[in-house]
Amino acid sequence: MSFALEVKEEIVKKEFDLICQKAFLCGFVKYNMTLNISNHYFNFEVSSISNAIIRTIYMFLKNLYHVEIDIIIMQTTKLKKHKTFILRIKERAAEILKDLNIFDADTNEKIITIPVDWSERQQRAYIAGIFVACGSVNSPETSNYHLEVQFIDEISAQTFRKLLHKFHFPFKIIMRHDKYVCYLKKSILVSDFLKLIDAINSVLVFENTRISRDMVNSINRLNNVEISNQQKAMKAGEEQAIMINYLLDHNLFDELNDNTRKIALLRVAYPDASLQDLSLLLESEHNLEISKSGVNHLFREIKKKYYENQK
């Protein structure tokens, strides 16, 4: 099961009172239904590949409207075989859609906006219904944080973005094929949106996975930096050893001062040692307290002497 489907199934397992059931249905049915209208026939259908989601929608419709509902199960024959569960509402269909603030059969128009007197709880339930109907979120296992909600018309996408702006979510809209996609990219925004729609367990999974992966990435970055620093130190040590051997071979070594000769001999003996290691070796073997920057200064003297005699 995908992470997005896990989120949706967690949402529908929450407790909804009748007011929030109605708001959730408004969001879900509005962006999931197939509407069938003719002169003497009016019904609508909703569908899902999740048994848990369709059972919740069935229960909400029964609780609110006490109507007969046809249940249809379709088996796909594609590579990823799964069942699609369909609810067909024929009885009082126009009345239900009007009461849910979805479709007005008198004007034959879909209703995009929500009532202005809805509470925050109702709005959150409505947003949750929309996400369950046409939303998706990437697994936190991936490095690409992405949550989106797809609409077939621009006015629905713009209305959704405006509603979510009230909750401080800066959704952006792009066209993908023939859909208008409202999306979030930042991990903190994705996490906060999951909190908004009460997918608390999914938030914990999301955050734990994200933190664990980010920690591993941070450790890897630190290791890469350390390896890079070691490689640079080794290269510098090899270059310094070449310079020191040149000075020895050309009888120029004794022109260095005493401390510089001592650090030079330590470098030849320990070609892979860091500046800090050499500083400690000076103290232990020669009772000289010279800092890492001081050791670096002595190597600059060696380098200067080497290049003076290369001219």
Side-chain angles (χ1 to χ4, degrees), residues 221-251:
R221 282 194 295 270
L222 289 173
N223 286 339
N224 290 338
V225 169
E226 185 175 347
I227 290 170
S228 177
N229 289 339
Q230 288 175 348
Q231 290 174 339
K232 288 178 181 178
M234 289 175 63
K235 184 178 179 181
E238 291 172 359
E239 291 174 352
Q240 290 160 359
I242 290 171
M243 294 177 188
I244 293 163
N245 285 323
Y246 176 87
L247 297 178
L248 286 167
D249 292 342
H250 291 77
N251 299 318

mmCIF file of all heavy atoms in Angstrom, residues 221-251:
data_model
loop_
_atom_site.group_PDB
_atom_site.id
_atom_site.type_symbol
_atom_site.label_atom_id
_atom_site.label_comp_id
_atom_site.label_asym_id
_atom_site.label_seq_id
_atom_site.Cartn_x
_atom_site.Cartn_y
_atom_site.Cartn_z
ATOM 1 N N ARG A 221 27.383 13.402 4.678
ATOM 2 C CA ARG A 221 28.037 14.642 4.272
ATOM 3 C C ARG A 221 29.267 14.917 5.123
ATOM 4 O O ARG A 221 30.322 15.326 4.621
ATOM 5 C CB ARG A 221 27.053 15.817 4.359
ATOM 6 C CG ARG A 221 26.069 15.882 3.204
ATOM 7 C CD ARG A 221 25.362 17.216 3.155
ATOM 8 N NE ARG A 221 24.521 17.418 4.317
ATOM 9 C CZ ARG A 221 23.244 17.060 4.391
ATOM 10 N NH1 ARG A 221 22.660 16.465 3.360
ATOM 11 N NH2 ARG A 221 22.536 17.292 5.470
ATOM 12 N N LEU A 222 29.142 14.682 6.443
ATOM 13 C CA LEU A 222 30.284 14.894 7.338
ATOM 14 C C LEU A 222 31.422 13.938 7.010
ATOM 15 O O LEU A 222 32.600 14.315 7.026
ATOM 16 C CB LEU A 222 29.840 14.713 8.794
ATOM 17 C CG LEU A 222 28.946 15.816 9.379
ATOM 18 C CD1 LEU A 222 28.453 15.419 10.757
ATOM 19 C CD2 LEU A 222 29.703 17.146 9.455
ATOM 20 N N ASN A 223 31.040 12.681 6.716
ATOM 21 C CA ASN A 223 32.062 11.696 6.344
ATOM 22 C C ASN A 223 32.757 12.090 5.046
ATOM 23 O O ASN A 223 33.977 11.945 4.912
ATOM 24 C CB ASN A 223 31.430 10.311 6.182
ATOM 25 C CG ASN A 223 31.072 9.679 7.515
ATOM 26 O OD1 ASN A 223 31.618 10.066 8.555
ATOM 27 N ND2 ASN A 223 30.158 8.731 7.504
ATOM 28 N N ASN A 224 31.977 12.599 4.112
ATOM 29 C CA ASN A 224 32.560 13.031 2.841
ATOM 30 C C ASN A 224 33.514 14.200 3.043
ATOM 31 O O ASN A 224 34.577 14.272 2.409
ATOM 32 C CB ASN A 224 31.451 13.433 1.861
ATOM 33 C CG ASN A 224 30.655 12.233 1.376
ATOM 34 O OD1 ASN A 224 31.135 11.101 1.426
ATOM 35 N ND2 ASN A 224 29.446 12.469 0.909
ATOM 36 N N VAL A 225 33.115 15.128 3.933
ATOM 37 C CA VAL A 225 33.983 16.267 4.240
ATOM 38 C C VAL A 225 35.269 15.779 4.896
ATOM 39 O O VAL A 225 36.369 16.234 4.568
ATOM 40 C CB VAL A 225 33.253 17.272 5.152
ATOM 41 C CG1 VAL A 225 34.236 18.315 5.689
ATOM 42 C CG2 VAL A 225 32.134 17.961 4.394
ATOM 43 N N GLU A 226 35.118 14.824 5.847
ATOM 44 C CA GLU A 226 36.291 14.303 6.551
ATOM 45 C C GLU A 226 37.227 13.583 5.585
ATOM 46 O O GLU A 226 38.452 13.762 5.647
ATOM 47 C CB GLU A 226 35.846 13.335 7.654
ATOM 48 C CG GLU A 226 36.992 12.845 8.517
ATOM 49 C CD GLU A 226 36.513 11.979 9.669
ATOM 50 O OE1 GLU A 226 35.301 11.960 9.928
ATOM 51 O OE2 GLU A 226 37.365 11.323 10.291
ATOM 52 N N ILE A 227 36.636 12.785 4.679
ATOM 53 C CA ILE A 227 37.459 12.082 3.686
ATOM 54 C C ILE A 227 38.171 13.081 2.787
ATOM 55 O O ILE A 227 39.356 12.929 2.475
ATOM 56 C CB ILE A 227 36.579 11.128 2.849
ATOM 57 C CG1 ILE A 227 36.105 9.960 3.725
ATOM 58 C CG2 ILE A 227 37.346 10.601 1.632
ATOM 59 C CD1 ILE A 227 35.042 9.099 3.070
ATOM 60 N N SER A 228 37.436 14.114 2.383
ATOM 61 C CA SER A 228 38.025 15.141 1.528
ATOM 62 C C SER A 228 39.183 15.845 2.233
ATOM 63 O O SER A 228 40.238 16.080 1.642
ATOM 64 C CB SER A 228 36.958 16.156 1.126
ATOM 65 O OG SER A 228 37.495 17.200 0.364
ATOM 66 N N ASN A 229 38.964 16.152 3.521
ATOM 67 C CA ASN A 229 40.027 16.810 4.298
ATOM 68 C C ASN A 229 41.247 15.905 4.451
ATOM 69 O O ASN A 229 42.394 16.367 4.385
ATOM 70 C CB ASN A 229 39.500 17.220 5.670
ATOM 71 C CG ASN A 229 38.522 18.386 5.585
ATOM 72 O OD1 ASN A 229 38.512 19.125 4.607
ATOM 73 N ND2 ASN A 229 37.700 18.540 6.612
ATOM 74 N N GLN A 230 40.984 14.602 4.657
ATOM 75 C CA GLN A 230 42.089 13.651 4.786
ATOM 76 C C GLN A 230 42.875 13.563 3.482
ATOM 77 O O GLN A 230 44.108 13.514 3.495
ATOM 78 C CB GLN A 230 41.543 12.271 5.165
ATOM 79 C CG GLN A 230 41.040 12.188 6.608
ATOM 80 C CD GLN A 230 40.405 10.835 6.902
ATOM 81 O OE1 GLN A 230 40.138 10.049 6.001
ATOM 82 N NE2 GLN A 230 40.147 10.588 8.174
ATOM 83 N N GLN A 231 42.152 13.553 2.380
ATOM 84 C CA GLN A 231 42.810 13.479 1.074
ATOM 85 C C GLN A 231 43.657 14.721 0.829
ATOM 86 O O GLN A 231 44.780 14.623 0.310
ATOM 87 C CB GLN A 231 41.763 13.310 -0.030
ATOM 88 C CG GLN A 231 41.090 11.946 -0.020
ATOM 89 C CD GLN A 231 39.952 11.854 -1.024
ATOM 90 O OE1 GLN A 231 39.390 12.861 -1.459
ATOM 91 N NE2 GLN A 231 39.605 10.632 -1.396
ATOM 92 N N LYS A 232 43.114 15.889 1.206
ATOM 93 C CA LYS A 232 43.867 17.131 1.045
ATOM 94 C C LYS A 232 45.118 17.121 1.924
ATOM 95 O O LYS A 232 46.197 17.555 1.506
ATOM 96 C CB LYS A 232 42.987 18.329 1.413
ATOM 97 C CG LYS A 232 41.894 18.624 0.399
ATOM 98 C CD LYS A 232 41.035 19.796 0.857
ATOM 99 C CE LYS A 232 39.917 20.077 -0.137
ATOM 100 N NZ LYS A 232 39.033 21.179 0.321
ATOM 101 N N ALA A 233 44.956 16.612 3.177
ATOM 102 C CA ALA A 233 46.096 16.554 4.097
ATOM 103 C C ALA A 233 47.172 15.615 3.575
ATOM 104 O O ALA A 233 48.382 15.919 3.654
ATOM 105 C CB ALA A 233 45.621 16.115 5.482
ATOM 106 N N MET A 234 46.734 14.474 3.018
ATOM 107 C CA MET A 234 47.703 13.515 2.479
ATOM 108 C C MET A 234 48.448 14.099 1.286
ATOM 109 O O MET A 234 49.672 13.938 1.159
ATOM 110 C CB MET A 234 46.982 12.229 2.064
ATOM 111 C CG MET A 234 46.475 11.396 3.232
ATOM 112 S SD MET A 234 45.509 9.965 2.708
ATOM 113 C CE MET A 234 46.732 9.040 1.798
ATOM 114 N N LYS A 235 47.704 14.807 0.412
ATOM 115 C CA LYS A 235 48.345 15.420 -0.749
ATOM 116 C C LYS A 235 49.346 16.483 -0.314
ATOM 117 O O LYS A 235 50.469 16.563 -0.841
ATOM 118 C CB LYS A 235 47.281 16.034 -1.651
ATOM 119 C CG LYS A 235 47.843 16.624 -2.935
ATOM 120 C CD LYS A 235 46.739 17.181 -3.813
ATOM 121 C CE LYS A 235 47.317 17.793 -5.085
ATOM 122 N NZ LYS A 235 46.253 18.366 -5.936
ATOM 123 N N ALA A 236 48.933 17.290 0.688
ATOM 124 C CA ALA A 236 49.834 18.332 1.198
ATOM 125 C C ALA A 236 51.073 17.709 1.829
ATOM 126 O O ALA A 236 52.199 18.200 1.648
ATOM 127 C CB ALA A 236 49.100 19.204 2.214
ATOM 128 N N GLY A 237 50.857 16.596 2.575
ATOM 129 C CA GLY A 237 51.985 15.912 3.214
ATOM 130 C C GLY A 237 52.965 15.366 2.186
ATOM 131 O O GLY A 237 54.190 15.458 2.371
ATOM 132 N N GLU A 238 52.441 14.815 1.095
ATOM 133 C CA GLU A 238 53.315 14.293 0.041
ATOM 134 C C GLU A 238 54.135 15.415 -0.597
ATOM 135 O O GLU A 238 55.343 15.257 -0.851
ATOM 136 C CB GLU A 238 52.459 13.596 -1.029
ATOM 137 C CG GLU A 238 51.817 12.292 -0.551
ATOM 138 C CD GLU A 238 50.833 11.730 -1.560
ATOM 139 O OE1 GLU A 238 50.652 12.378 -2.618
ATOM 140 O OE2 GLU A 238 50.247 10.665 -1.283
ATOM 141 N N GLU A 239 53.487 16.540 -0.868
ATOM 142 C CA GLU A 239 54.182 17.679 -1.466
ATOM 143 C C GLU A 239 55.266 18.217 -0.529
ATOM 144 O O GLU A 239 56.372 18.574 -0.972
ATOM 145 C CB GLU A 239 53.174 18.773 -1.806
ATOM 146 C CG GLU A 239 52.224 18.405 -2.946
ATOM 147 C CD GLU A 239 51.153 19.449 -3.165
ATOM 148 O OE1 GLU A 239 51.054 20.386 -2.326
ATOM 149 O OE2 GLU A 239 50.414 19.346 -4.174
ATOM 150 N N GLN A 240 54.947 18.285 0.769
ATOM 151 C CA GLN A 240 55.929 18.785 1.743
ATOM 152 C C GLN A 240 57.115 17.834 1.848
ATOM 153 O O GLN A 240 58.279 18.277 1.956
ATOM 154 C CB GLN A 240 55.251 18.954 3.112
ATOM 155 C CG GLN A 240 54.251 20.113 3.149
ATOM 156 C CD GLN A 240 53.245 19.992 4.286
ATOM 157 O OE1 GLN A 240 53.267 19.032 5.046
ATOM 158 N NE2 GLN A 240 52.358 20.975 4.386
ATOM 159 N N ALA A 241 56.828 16.515 1.810
ATOM 160 C CA ALA A 241 57.909 15.532 1.877
ATOM 161 C C ALA A 241 58.845 15.658 0.670
ATOM 162 O O ALA A 241 60.074 15.527 0.793
ATOM 163 C CB ALA A 241 57.325 14.123 1.962
ATOM 164 N N ILE A 242 58.275 15.911 -0.511
ATOM 165 C CA ILE A 242 59.096 16.100 -1.718
ATOM 166 C C ILE A 242 60.010 17.314 -1.557
ATOM 167 O O ILE A 242 61.211 17.272 -1.899
ATOM 168 C CB ILE A 242 58.180 16.272 -2.953
ATOM 169 C CG1 ILE A 242 57.481 14.943 -3.286
ATOM 170 C CG2 ILE A 242 58.970 16.781 -4.155
ATOM 171 C CD1 ILE A 242 56.407 15.057 -4.354
ATOM 172 N N MET A 243 59.455 18.407 -1.010
ATOM 173 C CA MET A 243 60.249 19.623 -0.810
ATOM 174 C C MET A 243 61.377 19.384 0.188
ATOM 175 O O MET A 243 62.524 19.814 -0.019
ATOM 176 C CB MET A 243 59.339 20.756 -0.303
ATOM 177 C CG MET A 243 58.313 21.219 -1.302
ATOM 178 S SD MET A 243 57.249 22.498 -0.572
ATOM 179 C CE MET A 243 56.022 22.687 -1.855
ATOM 180 N N ILE A 244 61.057 18.684 1.263
ATOM 181 C CA ILE A 244 62.054 18.436 2.317
ATOM 182 C C ILE A 244 63.177 17.549 1.773
ATOM 183 O O ILE A 244 64.378 17.804 2.010
ATOM 184 C CB ILE A 244 61.388 17.778 3.541
ATOM 185 C CG1 ILE A 244 60.429 18.784 4.204
ATOM 186 C CG2 ILE A 244 62.433 17.291 4.540
ATOM 187 C CD1 ILE A 244 59.435 18.148 5.152
ATOM 188 N N ASN A 245 62.815 16.503 1.016
ATOM 189 C CA ASN A 245 63.825 15.619 0.437
ATOM 190 C C ASN A 245 64.705 16.371 -0.561
ATOM 191 O O ASN A 245 65.910 16.100 -0.676
ATOM 192 C CB ASN A 245 63.158 14.412 -0.233
ATOM 193 C CG ASN A 245 62.650 13.410 0.786
ATOM 194 O OD1 ASN A 245 63.282 13.194 1.824
ATOM 195 N ND2 ASN A 245 61.492 12.814 0.520
ATOM 196 N N TYR A 246 64.108 17.301 -1.271
ATOM 197 C CA TYR A 246 64.888 18.127 -2.202
ATOM 198 C C TYR A 246 65.934 18.952 -1.440
ATOM 199 O O TYR A 246 67.110 19.025 -1.847
ATOM 200 C CB TYR A 246 63.960 19.053 -2.981
ATOM 201 C CG TYR A 246 64.689 20.009 -3.895
ATOM 202 C CD1 TYR A 246 65.028 19.641 -5.197
ATOM 203 C CD2 TYR A 246 65.050 21.295 -3.445
ATOM 204 C CE1 TYR A 246 65.694 20.521 -6.030
ATOM 205 C CE2 TYR A 246 65.721 22.169 -4.276
ATOM 206 C CZ TYR A 246 66.048 21.785 -5.557
ATOM 207 O OH TYR A 246 66.715 22.655 -6.378
ATOM 208 N N LEU A 247 65.492 19.551 -0.310
ATOM 209 C CA LEU A 247 66.422 20.358 0.489
ATOM 210 C C LEU A 247 67.540 19.494 1.060
ATOM 211 O O LEU A 247 68.708 19.920 1.123
ATOM 212 C CB LEU A 247 65.664 21.069 1.615
ATOM 213 C CG LEU A 247 64.593 22.089 1.185
ATOM 214 C CD1 LEU A 247 63.900 22.678 2.406
ATOM 215 C CD2 LEU A 247 65.204 23.202 0.337
ATOM 216 N N LEU A 248 67.194 18.268 1.467
ATOM 217 C CA LEU A 248 68.211 17.349 1.990
ATOM 218 C C LEU A 248 69.196 16.947 0.901
ATOM 219 O O LEU A 248 70.418 16.919 1.133
ATOM 220 C CB LEU A 248 67.523 16.097 2.565
ATOM 221 C CG LEU A 248 66.799 16.272 3.901
ATOM 222 C CD1 LEU A 248 65.915 15.062 4.194
ATOM 223 C CD2 LEU A 248 67.811 16.465 5.036
ATOM 224 N N ASP A 249 68.672 16.636 -0.268
ATOM 225 C CA ASP A 249 69.530 16.179 -1.359
ATOM 226 C C ASP A 249 70.460 17.273 -1.878
ATOM 227 O O ASP A 249 71.530 16.978 -2.434
ATOM 228 C CB ASP A 249 68.673 15.658 -2.521
ATOM 229 C CG ASP A 249 67.934 14.379 -2.156
ATOM 230 O OD1 ASP A 249 68.338 13.721 -1.173
ATOM 231 O OD2 ASP A 249 66.932 14.054 -2.841
ATOM 232 N N HIS A 250 70.060 18.536 -1.701
ATOM 233 C CA HIS A 250 70.843 19.647 -2.236
ATOM 234 C C HIS A 250 71.565 20.437 -1.137
ATOM 235 O O HIS A 250 71.951 21.589 -1.341
ATOM 236 C CB HIS A 250 69.948 20.588 -3.056
ATOM 237 C CG HIS A 250 69.453 19.981 -4.341
ATOM 238 N ND1 HIS A 250 68.417 19.061 -4.386
ATOM 239 C CD2 HIS A 250 69.861 20.150 -5.638
ATOM 240 C CE1 HIS A 250 68.193 18.704 -5.629
ATOM 241 N NE2 HIS A 250 69.074 19.340 -6.418
ATOM 242 N N ASN A 251 71.744 19.785 0.007
ATOM 243 C CA ASN A 251 72.499 20.384 1.116
ATOM 244 C C ASN A 251 71.963 21.763 1.532
ATOM 245 O O ASN A 251 72.727 22.672 1.865
ATOM 246 C CB ASN A 251 73.993 20.514 0.744
ATOM 247 C CG ASN A 251 74.622 19.162 0.462
ATOM 248 O OD1 ASN A 251 74.365 18.195 1.191
ATOM 249 N ND2 ASN A 251 75.423 19.093 -0.587
#
